[in-house]
mmCIF file of all heavy atoms in Angstrom:
data_model
loop_
_atom_site.group_PDB
_atom_site.id
_atom_site.type_symbol
_atom_site.label_atom_id
_atom_site.label_comp_id
_atom_site.label_asym_id
_atom_site.label_seq_id
_atom_site.Cartn_x
_atom_site.Cartn_y
_atom_site.Cartn_z
ATOM 1 N N PHE A 13 125.258 18.879 108.011
ATOM 2 C CA PHE A 13 125.886 17.502 108.061
ATOM 3 C C PHE A 13 124.946 16.374 107.600
ATOM 4 O O PHE A 13 125.275 15.467 106.910
ATOM 5 C CB PHE A 13 126.399 17.177 109.456
ATOM 6 C CG PHE A 13 127.541 16.219 109.476
ATOM 7 C CD1 PHE A 13 128.647 16.286 108.542
ATOM 8 C CD2 PHE A 13 127.434 15.210 110.341
ATOM 9 C CE1 PHE A 13 129.531 15.393 108.703
ATOM 10 C CE2 PHE A 13 128.490 14.226 110.511
ATOM 11 C CZ PHE A 13 129.554 14.229 109.541
ATOM 12 N N ARG A 14 123.629 16.548 108.093
ATOM 13 C CA ARG A 14 122.607 15.529 107.681
ATOM 14 C C ARG A 14 122.368 15.603 106.194
ATOM 15 O O ARG A 14 122.224 14.539 105.593
ATOM 16 C CB ARG A 14 121.361 15.906 108.479
ATOM 17 C CG ARG A 14 120.164 14.953 108.256
ATOM 18 C CD ARG A 14 118.992 15.377 109.112
ATOM 19 N NE ARG A 14 118.539 16.675 108.634
ATOM 20 C CZ ARG A 14 117.584 17.319 109.360
ATOM 21 N NH1 ARG A 14 117.041 16.815 110.422
ATOM 22 N NH2 ARG A 14 117.161 18.523 108.812
ATOM 23 N N TRP A 15 122.276 16.826 105.638
ATOM 24 C CA TRP A 15 122.119 17.060 104.239
ATOM 25 C C TRP A 15 123.305 16.408 103.521
ATOM 26 O O TRP A 15 123.143 15.707 102.471
ATOM 27 C CB TRP A 15 122.049 18.529 104.014
ATOM 28 C CG TRP A 15 121.695 18.936 102.677
ATOM 29 C CD1 TRP A 15 121.376 18.100 101.579
ATOM 30 C CD2 TRP A 15 121.652 20.307 101.990
ATOM 31 N NE1 TRP A 15 121.084 18.924 100.502
ATOM 32 C CE2 TRP A 15 121.283 20.245 100.696
ATOM 33 C CE3 TRP A 15 121.960 21.545 102.636
ATOM 34 C CZ2 TRP A 15 121.136 21.267 99.940
ATOM 35 C CZ3 TRP A 15 121.738 22.655 101.866
ATOM 36 C CH2 TRP A 15 121.398 22.445 100.560
ATOM 37 N N MET A 16 124.520 16.709 103.864
ATOM 38 C CA MET A 16 125.669 15.970 103.266
ATOM 39 C C MET A 16 125.528 14.519 103.256
ATOM 40 O O MET A 16 125.852 13.872 102.310
ATOM 41 C CB MET A 16 127.007 16.521 103.980
ATOM 42 C CG MET A 16 127.283 17.895 103.735
ATOM 43 S SD MET A 16 128.897 18.308 104.485
ATOM 44 C CE MET A 16 130.022 17.452 103.488
ATOM 45 N N GLY A 17 125.070 13.980 104.430
ATOM 46 C CA GLY A 17 125.036 12.512 104.506
ATOM 47 C C GLY A 17 123.942 11.898 103.469
ATOM 48 O O GLY A 17 124.195 10.925 102.817
ATOM 49 N N SER A 18 122.893 12.660 103.292
ATOM 50 C CA SER A 18 121.765 12.221 102.362
ATOM 51 C C SER A 18 122.369 12.316 101.066
ATOM 52 O O SER A 18 122.117 11.422 100.168
ATOM 53 C CB SER A 18 120.541 13.080 102.531
ATOM 54 O OG SER A 18 120.076 12.964 103.748
ATOM 55 N N MET A 19 123.061 13.450 100.648
ATOM 56 C CA MET A 19 123.483 13.568 99.294
ATOM 57 C C MET A 19 124.642 12.612 98.925
ATOM 58 O O MET A 19 124.848 12.071 97.828
ATOM 59 C CB MET A 19 123.962 14.971 99.103
ATOM 60 C CG MET A 19 122.898 15.986 99.271
ATOM 61 S SD MET A 19 123.318 17.643 98.807
ATOM 62 C CE MET A 19 123.547 17.436 97.030
ATOM 63 N N ALA A 20 125.562 12.366 100.024
ATOM 64 C CA ALA A 20 126.607 11.284 99.683
ATOM 65 C C ALA A 20 125.972 9.881 99.419
ATOM 66 O O ALA A 20 126.435 9.206 98.530
ATOM 67 C CB ALA A 20 127.589 11.234 100.972
ATOM 68 N N ALA A 21 125.030 9.606 100.214
ATOM 69 C CA ALA A 21 124.253 8.364 100.062
ATOM 70 C C ALA A 21 123.533 8.243 98.655
ATOM 71 O O ALA A 21 123.456 7.154 98.098
ATOM 72 C CB ALA A 21 123.249 8.045 101.125
ATOM 73 N N ALA A 22 123.213 9.432 98.145
ATOM 74 C CA ALA A 22 122.526 9.523 96.910
ATOM 75 C C ALA A 22 123.491 9.481 95.749
ATOM 76 O O ALA A 22 122.998 9.482 94.610
ATOM 77 C CB ALA A 22 121.659 10.767 96.794
ATOM 78 N N GLY A 23 124.765 9.534 96.048
ATOM 79 C CA GLY A 23 125.695 9.516 94.974
ATOM 80 C C GLY A 23 126.011 10.817 94.356
ATOM 81 O O GLY A 23 126.639 11.046 93.270
ATOM 82 N N MET A 24 125.586 11.912 95.074
ATOM 83 C CA MET A 24 125.757 13.283 94.568
ATOM 84 C C MET A 24 126.950 13.927 94.931
ATOM 85 O O MET A 24 127.252 15.015 94.535
ATOM 86 C CB MET A 24 124.590 14.169 94.856
ATOM 87 C CG MET A 24 123.189 13.657 94.258
ATOM 88 S SD MET A 24 121.755 14.568 94.662
ATOM 89 C CE MET A 24 122.106 16.080 93.826
ATOM 90 N N LEU A 25 127.801 13.297 95.907
ATOM 91 C CA LEU A 25 129.084 13.880 96.265
ATOM 92 C C LEU A 25 130.052 12.696 96.083
ATOM 93 O O LEU A 25 130.023 11.609 96.556
ATOM 94 C CB LEU A 25 129.083 14.196 97.790
ATOM 95 C CG LEU A 25 128.177 15.388 98.157
ATOM 96 C CD1 LEU A 25 128.104 15.527 99.587
ATOM 97 C CD2 LEU A 25 128.694 16.651 97.384
ATOM 98 N N ALA A 26 131.104 13.070 95.208
ATOM 99 C CA ALA A 26 132.006 12.050 94.886
ATOM 100 C C ALA A 26 133.127 11.783 95.936
ATOM 101 O O ALA A 26 133.594 10.725 96.088
ATOM 102 C CB ALA A 26 132.815 12.391 93.476
ATOM 103 N N ALA A 27 133.459 12.887 96.595
ATOM 104 C CA ALA A 27 134.553 12.755 97.655
ATOM 105 C C ALA A 27 133.929 12.286 99.003
ATOM 106 O O ALA A 27 132.782 12.613 99.265
ATOM 107 C CB ALA A 27 135.306 14.071 97.830
ATOM 108 N N PRO A 28 134.849 11.601 99.847
ATOM 109 C CA PRO A 28 134.370 11.251 101.216
ATOM 110 C C PRO A 28 133.899 12.553 102.059
ATOM 111 O O PRO A 28 134.351 13.633 101.880
ATOM 112 C CB PRO A 28 135.528 10.634 101.782
ATOM 113 C CG PRO A 28 136.437 10.282 100.698
ATOM 114 C CD PRO A 28 136.192 11.275 99.655
ATOM 115 N N MET A 29 133.044 12.360 102.939
ATOM 116 C CA MET A 29 132.598 13.520 103.770
ATOM 117 C C MET A 29 133.644 13.857 104.750
ATOM 118 O O MET A 29 134.412 13.026 105.205
ATOM 119 C CB MET A 29 131.349 13.026 104.603
ATOM 120 C CG MET A 29 130.016 12.893 103.701
ATOM 121 S SD MET A 29 128.775 12.207 104.736
ATOM 122 C CE MET A 29 128.623 13.377 106.004
ATOM 123 N N VAL A 30 133.697 15.183 104.989
ATOM 124 C CA VAL A 30 134.606 15.685 106.005
ATOM 125 C C VAL A 30 133.988 15.897 107.309
ATOM 126 O O VAL A 30 132.709 15.658 107.472
ATOM 127 C CB VAL A 30 135.198 17.120 105.534
ATOM 128 C CG1 VAL A 30 136.012 16.905 104.287
ATOM 129 C CG2 VAL A 30 134.036 18.006 105.312
ATOM 130 N N ALA A 31 134.823 16.118 108.414
ATOM 131 C CA ALA A 31 134.268 16.179 109.708
ATOM 132 C C ALA A 31 133.276 17.280 109.943
ATOM 133 O O ALA A 31 132.322 17.104 110.575
ATOM 134 C CB ALA A 31 135.444 16.245 110.689
ATOM 135 N N VAL A 32 133.570 18.435 109.359
ATOM 136 C CA VAL A 32 132.706 19.559 109.439
ATOM 137 C C VAL A 32 132.472 20.236 108.023
ATOM 138 O O VAL A 32 133.385 20.300 107.221
ATOM 139 C CB VAL A 32 133.311 20.664 110.265
ATOM 140 C CG1 VAL A 32 132.432 21.881 110.362
ATOM 141 C CG2 VAL A 32 133.532 20.104 111.702
ATOM 142 N N ALA A 33 131.226 20.405 107.661
ATOM 143 C CA ALA A 33 130.937 21.002 106.379
ATOM 144 C C ALA A 33 131.424 22.421 106.306
ATOM 145 O O ALA A 33 130.930 23.321 107.150
ATOM 146 C CB ALA A 33 129.435 20.954 106.135
ATOM 147 N N GLY A 34 132.389 22.774 105.375
ATOM 148 C CA GLY A 34 132.808 24.057 105.129
ATOM 149 C C GLY A 34 131.959 24.821 104.172
ATOM 150 O O GLY A 34 131.183 24.204 103.590
ATOM 151 N N PRO A 35 132.230 26.134 103.944
ATOM 152 C CA PRO A 35 131.420 26.879 102.901
ATOM 153 C C PRO A 35 131.571 26.422 101.495
ATOM 154 O O PRO A 35 130.517 26.315 100.881
ATOM 155 C CB PRO A 35 132.077 28.310 103.025
ATOM 156 C CG PRO A 35 132.634 28.380 104.458
ATOM 157 C CD PRO A 35 133.128 26.945 104.764
ATOM 158 N N LEU A 36 132.715 25.915 101.163
ATOM 159 C CA LEU A 36 132.790 25.333 99.800
ATOM 160 C C LEU A 36 132.019 24.030 99.613
ATOM 161 O O LEU A 36 131.437 23.800 98.608
ATOM 162 C CB LEU A 36 134.317 25.161 99.416
ATOM 163 C CG LEU A 36 134.564 24.931 98.000
ATOM 164 C CD1 LEU A 36 133.978 26.017 97.033
ATOM 165 C CD2 LEU A 36 136.051 24.746 97.722
ATOM 166 N N ASP A 37 132.089 23.273 100.728
ATOM 167 C CA ASP A 37 131.283 21.972 100.715
ATOM 168 C C ASP A 37 129.824 22.296 100.524
ATOM 169 O O ASP A 37 129.047 21.599 99.771
ATOM 170 C CB ASP A 37 131.556 21.268 101.985
ATOM 171 C CG ASP A 37 132.900 20.849 102.220
ATOM 172 O OD1 ASP A 37 133.560 20.270 101.369
ATOM 173 O OD2 ASP A 37 133.601 21.165 103.295
ATOM 174 N N LEU A 38 129.297 23.289 101.271
ATOM 175 C CA LEU A 38 127.909 23.516 101.211
ATOM 176 C C LEU A 38 127.489 24.118 99.846
ATOM 177 O O LEU A 38 126.426 23.882 99.325
ATOM 178 C CB LEU A 38 127.573 24.593 102.301
ATOM 179 C CG LEU A 38 127.680 24.108 103.781
ATOM 180 C CD1 LEU A 38 127.328 25.143 104.784
ATOM 181 C CD2 LEU A 38 126.733 22.846 104.061
ATOM 182 N N TYR A 39 128.447 24.903 99.246
ATOM 183 C CA TYR A 39 128.172 25.353 97.971
ATOM 184 C C TYR A 39 128.091 24.314 96.843
ATOM 185 O O TYR A 39 127.236 24.339 96.069
ATOM 186 C CB TYR A 39 129.305 26.354 97.520
ATOM 187 C CG TYR A 39 129.304 26.889 96.153
ATOM 188 C CD1 TYR A 39 128.261 27.872 95.757
ATOM 189 C CD2 TYR A 39 130.040 26.378 95.153
ATOM 190 C CE1 TYR A 39 128.114 28.293 94.549
ATOM 191 C CE2 TYR A 39 129.971 26.845 93.814
ATOM 192 C CZ TYR A 39 128.994 27.743 93.605
ATOM 193 O OH TYR A 39 128.853 28.244 92.156
ATOM 194 N N ILE A 40 128.999 23.299 96.970
ATOM 195 C CA ILE A 40 128.930 22.219 96.201
ATOM 196 C C ILE A 40 127.568 21.461 96.182
ATOM 197 O O ILE A 40 126.992 21.127 95.303
ATOM 198 C CB ILE A 40 130.077 21.253 96.435
ATOM 199 C CG1 ILE A 40 131.459 21.838 96.080
ATOM 200 C CG2 ILE A 40 129.872 19.844 95.680
ATOM 201 C CD1 ILE A 40 132.632 21.025 96.412
ATOM 202 N N GLU A 41 127.163 21.163 97.537
ATOM 203 C CA GLU A 41 125.918 20.462 97.730
ATOM 204 C C GLU A 41 124.745 21.194 97.129
ATOM 205 O O GLU A 41 123.814 20.596 96.509
ATOM 206 C CB GLU A 41 125.717 20.224 99.240
ATOM 207 C CG GLU A 41 126.729 19.374 99.898
ATOM 208 C CD GLU A 41 127.078 19.668 101.253
ATOM 209 O OE1 GLU A 41 126.210 20.399 101.896
ATOM 210 O OE2 GLU A 41 128.181 19.307 101.656
ATOM 211 N N ARG A 42 124.667 22.460 97.500
ATOM 212 C CA ARG A 42 123.428 23.295 96.929
ATOM 213 C C ARG A 42 123.493 23.417 95.413
ATOM 214 O O ARG A 42 122.462 23.319 94.803
ATOM 215 C CB ARG A 42 123.421 24.665 97.505
ATOM 216 C CG ARG A 42 123.169 24.536 99.073
ATOM 217 C CD ARG A 42 123.041 25.824 99.699
ATOM 218 N NE ARG A 42 122.880 25.638 101.181
ATOM 219 C CZ ARG A 42 122.797 26.561 102.115
ATOM 220 N NH1 ARG A 42 122.740 27.835 101.725
ATOM 221 N NH2 ARG A 42 122.538 26.307 103.445
ATOM 222 N N THR A 43 124.586 23.435 94.830
ATOM 223 C CA THR A 43 124.779 23.513 93.414
ATOM 224 C C THR A 43 124.348 22.201 92.790
ATOM 225 O O THR A 43 123.649 22.025 91.799
ATOM 226 C CB THR A 43 126.145 23.856 92.999
ATOM 227 O OG1 THR A 43 126.511 25.094 93.501
ATOM 228 C CG2 THR A 43 126.305 23.917 91.376
ATOM 229 N N ALA A 44 124.798 21.171 93.466
ATOM 230 C CA ALA A 44 124.479 19.678 93.019
ATOM 231 C C ALA A 44 122.925 19.512 92.996
ATOM 232 O O ALA A 44 122.284 19.042 92.134
ATOM 233 C CB ALA A 44 125.170 18.668 93.794
#
Side-chain angles (χ1 to χ4, degrees):
F13 200 50
R14 181 181 61 190
W15 185 4
M16 289 182 73
S18 297
M19 296 187 69
M24 295 176 69
L25 293 177
M29 288 173 58
V30 293
V32 178
L36 192 59
D37 300 310
L38 294 177
Y39 176 72
I40 292 172
E41 291 146 26
R42 293 182 183 182
T43 301

